[in-house]
Amino acid sequence: MITSRTRRIAATVVFALFAPLASAQLVLAPPVARWVDEAKQQVPLLDLAALKAAVDANETGLLLDVREPAELAASGMLPGAINMPRGIVELAVWAKVGYPNNTNLGQKITVYCGTTWRSALAAKSLKDLGFTNVQLANIRVEEWRASGYPMVK
């Protein structure tokens, strides 16, 4: 049986292993950088000011934080966001859009992550699945936090 203590320990271990990567200046391999850039061209982009306005007005729709749970433990999420790690977005989103009885492919979905890389790919995947109102928060979470905007845990 997995207890909450076991989950906390696992999250701490994962964070200890990956935190240095998050703070390092990561560079995407050229093929991946092209893939991310192409994904960003497929969906509307929100800058920091537009995202803040949308969050304040409760106009983000389904706000997805596609970072891993261990990343959230350290920094928290934007107000109103739900965590849906990048690796399961295509599978998990359906429960949030009324599947199977009232699936709403036009529901607004705003996606963000720590660097925009995973969120760009997730947004593109959602569009490819038929969602018609997907937008990408084209910011790093650190920009949000550095601006003094709220984070929730």
Side-chain angles (χ1 to χ4, degrees):
M1 178 177 200
I2 297 176
T3 65
S4 61
R5 182 175 186 275
T6 304
R7 284 191 184 103
R8 283 193 310 272
I9 291 169
T12 302
V13 169
V14 168
F15 181 73
L17 291 172
F18 292 104
L21 293 176
S23 62
Q25 186 69 330
L26 297 177
V27 178
L28 289 178
V32 179
R34 280 191 302 275
W35 193 28
V36 169
D37 288 342
E38 289 170 6
K40 286 183 177 184
Q41 294 173 23
Q42 300 296 313
V43 295
L45 305 177
L46 298 177
D47 63 13
L48 183 61
L51 178 61
K52 176 68 165 106
V55 168
D56 288 349
N58 198 27
E59 293 178 352
T60 59
L62 181 60
L63 182 58
L64 299 181
D65 183 326
V66 298
R67 295 177 295 156
E68 294 299 317
E71 293 174 87
L72 304 180
S75 66
M77 296 187 296
L78 275 62
I82 63 168
N83 180 231
M84 191 175 293
R86 168 66 189 108
I88 64 166
V89 166
E90 295 85 353
L91 303 173
V93 71
W94 299 100
K96 302 296 183 185
V97 296
Y99 180 84
N101 298 324
N102 296 308
T103 305
N104 181 2
L105 294 175
Q107 178 175 341
K108 183 183 280 186
I109 302 174
T110 304
V111 187
Y112 76 94
C113 70
T115 63
T116 75
W117 302 338
R118 290 171 287 180
S119 53
L121 299 175
K124 172 72 165 59
S125 290
L126 291 168
K127 185 175 182 229
D128 290 346
L129 287 171
F131 291 95
T132 59
N133 198 2
V134 179
Q135 55 189 9
L136 170 63
N138 195 30
I139 67 154
R140 294 174 178 258
V141 168
E142 184 53 39
E143 293 174 70
W144 179 272
R145 187 176 22 258
S147 295
Y149 299 150
M151 300 289 285
V152 296
K153 291 209 179 193

